[in-house]
Amino acid sequence: MSEPQSSLLLKKQLAELNKNPVEGFSAGLIDDNDIYRWEVLIIGPPDTLYEGGFFKAHLHFPKEYPLRPPRMKFVTEIWHPNIEKNGDVCISILHEPGDDKWGYEKASERWLPVHTVETILISVISMLADPNDESPANVDAAKEWRESYSEFKRKVAQCVRKSQEDCS
Amino acid sequence: MADDASSSSGCAGNIIDNSINQDELIMKQQREIEKEISETIPLVGELEELSSLEKEYNEDPVYLLKVKDLSSKYKYIRRTRPDGNCFFRAFSYAYLEHLLTDKSEYNKFYEIAKNSKEILVALGFSQFTVEDFYETFMEVVQRVGEQAGGTPESLESVRTELHDKFNKQGYSDYIVVYLRLVTSGQLQTENDFYQNFIEGPRTVTEFCRQEVEPMYKESDHIHIIALSNALNVGVRVKYMDRGEGSQVSEVIAHDFPEGSKPLVHLLYRPGHYDILYA
């Protein structure tokens, strides 16, 4: 095995996504020579506050992928309880089982080696539609989402508009 | 624990809470321990005399008696890295090693292994993702098959090759991932039966996603029952712990599936499995 399995697997996924695109996002590499760094464009899911937006995010895969998860970061500004203000995505499936600091009782779905770019993005898109306010990464966004929804909506709408300008 | 401490996020960057800082410290320490383990203990070690266990329990009369009991039945031990994957790694290593000298068992196993991917795909696992792990697993299985029943020299060289592969993270962990998937597949196929073994309100599928499919999750009885049934391989586990038995000095054995002829012998000490040899 001269080329790491991770690199072959990611190439296979990229080819597959190019051949059979999945609704809701498009994917490519940030730099054609680096298979470990992806750029994805997520289309704001219909019937959510994010509808109409185009959100760019980066995925950084470790050499140990798929045994270890990638990190995901939005580069387009986005206001969401489970996305840090700097864009880092906090979703349980991107955490390793070892990071289970909340203990056995509250175990939720963690990283699995069978996850692909497609399954990760499907989870992220579903998170956009349905935030988890019990474990916020952006505490202010979570608070607004709970207590002053109109303010939350306004901030999200602002991000959606801005994302459209960035893309045009 | 704070209200924010729920499960679906582990990102505590914005949360100011002392208990969480404490958690971060524990996690950091945990990582350091893991790093030390991975630098000092091979994924699968060399064969050692069983007496090497005595040294670990010099000060412990109860365990010394148990080691003595164990040494009446076993001569050697092969240690595996305690990384939560040890059952799967120990099982597959010991079984493939056995197959080298048992061609008819190999032929039986080959059919089961070959068909295992279709079972997973039928259960809804994506072909695309299962394939990679399956192929690596089958590559190693087939190497064993090519040499099974061969001359002592050729067996020796393929043993060395197997040992090398099991100590290469890429191969070794891919085998573990695949066996975890097979275990999950068995649990989900026999869902009604296994549901009875699962504590709490979890479904079998949830249990699989949380305790079986993720790497580094430790194996319990249910994992062993499921894998030994899925592959139709007899496993004997010798339990060396402080549990009360009728005789304290005795190391209790369990066979999986019940009543099968064990081809793989494992030593269990709380939280960890190693391989035993007669």
Side-chain angles (χ1 to χ4, degrees), chain B:
Chain B
M1 192 59 67
D3 286 338
D4 312 294
S6 137
S7 51
S8 81
S9 164
C11 306
N14 297 331
I15 305 171
I16 297 155
D17 181 329
N18 282 335
S19 71
I20 283 163
N21 290 337
Q22 197 61 36
D23 285 331
E24 296 288 347
L25 281 176
I26 292 169
M27 274 169 63
K28 186 163 168 277
Q29 194 184 17
Q30 181 74 25
R31 288 224 178 77
E32 281 162 8
I33 294 170
E34 279 162 16
K35 188 162 170 279
E36 198 187 318
I37 288 176
S38 71
E39 281 166 359
T40 53
I41 305 177
L43 291 169
V44 182
E46 301 292 339
L47 213 56
E48 291 174 55
E49 300 273 344
L50 200 68
S51 57
S52 70
L53 278 179
E54 283 171 23
K55 287 171 210 142
E56 287 177 42
Y57 300 117
N58 265 340
E59 311 278 307
D60 192 327
V62 176
Y63 267 74
L64 276 178
L65 279 173
K66 296 200 176 210
V67 174
K68 207 171 155 229
D69 179 51
L70 208 57
S71 57
S72 67
K73 297 184 182 75
Y74 297 97
K75 286 200 186 70
Y76 303 101
I77 181 172
R78 193 190 291 281
R79 293 166 201 266
T80 64
R81 184 184 292 172
D83 62 357
N85 295 317
C86 53
F87 164 69
F88 291 99
R89 220 176 315 261
F91 169 86
S92 47
Y93 188 104
Y95 185 56
L96 290 174
E97 214 181 12
H98 170 81
L99 292 182
L100 282 172
T101 54
D102 189 345
K103 186 78 186 185
S104 68
E105 174 78 12
Y106 174 83
N107 292 334
K108 183 205 89 186
F109 175 69
Y110 180 76
E111 287 305 309
I112 295 174
K114 205 177 67 173
N115 296 327
S116 59
K117 187 180 81 175
E118 294 313 316
I119 296 176
L120 293 173
V121 172
L123 277 168
F125 285 93
S126 124
Q127 165 107 15
F128 188 81
T129 43
V130 168
E131 208 158 58
D132 255 57
F133 304 110
Y134 170 76
E135 277 165 14
T136 302
F137 179 70
M138 288 309 280
E139 182 191 325
V140 177
V141 168
Q142 276 160 0
R143 273 302 287 155
V144 167
E146 284 161 22
Q147 304 293 330
T151 62
E153 294 78 38
S154 70
L155 284 186
E156 207 36 55
S157 96
V158 74
R159 274 202 187 95
T160 311
E161 190 186 319
L162 201 60
H163 191 77
D164 286 347
K165 286 210 165 100
F166 266 88
N167 277 297
K168 279 205 183 89
Q169 200 96 43
Y171 273 106
S172 207
D173 283 352
Y174 264 48
I175 292 170
V176 171
V177 170
Y178 192 66
L179 290 180
R180 285 181 176 279
L181 292 175
V182 169
T183 306
S184 168
Q186 171 73 11
L187 289 166
Q188 294 183 60
T189 306
E190 303 288 334
N191 178 5
D192 287 347
F193 172 71
Y194 290 109
Q195 184 68 61
N196 304 314
F197 294 86
I198 292 170
E199 285 168 31
R202 287 191 277 187
T203 65
V204 169
T205 307
E206 281 166 350
F207 179 83
C208 288
R209 296 261 163 81
Q210 293 165 5
E211 306 295 334
V212 182
E213 291 170 34
M215 290 294 277
Y216 318 111
K217 282 283 184 182
E218 286 180 15
S219 294
D220 218 327
H221 270 201
I222 187 169
H223 300 73
I224 307 179
I225 295 169
L227 185 62
S228 61
N229 272 299
L231 301 178
N232 192 18
V233 175
V235 185
R236 173 166 294 171
V237 182
K238 299 287 279 183
Y239 288 88
M240 200 157 98
D241 54 27
R242 291 190 188 279
E244 310 106 66
S246 51
Q247 277 180 297
V248 190
S249 61
E250 198 185 355
V251 182
I252 292 163
H254 276 288
D255 290 347
F256 304 92
E258 242 171 81
S260 63
K261 176 174 176 277
L263 299 177
V264 168
H265 297 255
L266 303 178
L267 172 64
Y268 175 83
R269 286 176 286 169
H272 186 60
Y273 297 87
D274 292 307
I275 308 169
L276 288 170
Y277 296 85

Side-chain angles (χ1 to χ4, degrees), chain A residues 75-122:
Chain A
V75 273
T76 307
E77 196 182 315
I78 187 163
W79 190 250
H80 188 282
N82 306 111
I83 301 169
E84 289 196 26
K85 287 173 188 163
N86 70 8
D88 287 340
V89 177
C90 290
I91 182 169
S92 66
I93 66 154
L94 291 183
H95 288 276
E96 295 187 49
D99 287 355
D100 221 346
K101 64 178 169 184
W102 312 124
Y104 182 82
E105 293 299 318
K106 290 184 176 175
S108 68
E109 212 160 291
R110 297 279 147 169
W111 175 252
L112 300 177
V114 288
H115 278 306
T116 59
V117 171
E118 183 180 339
T119 61
I120 293 166
L121 286 175
I122 288 172

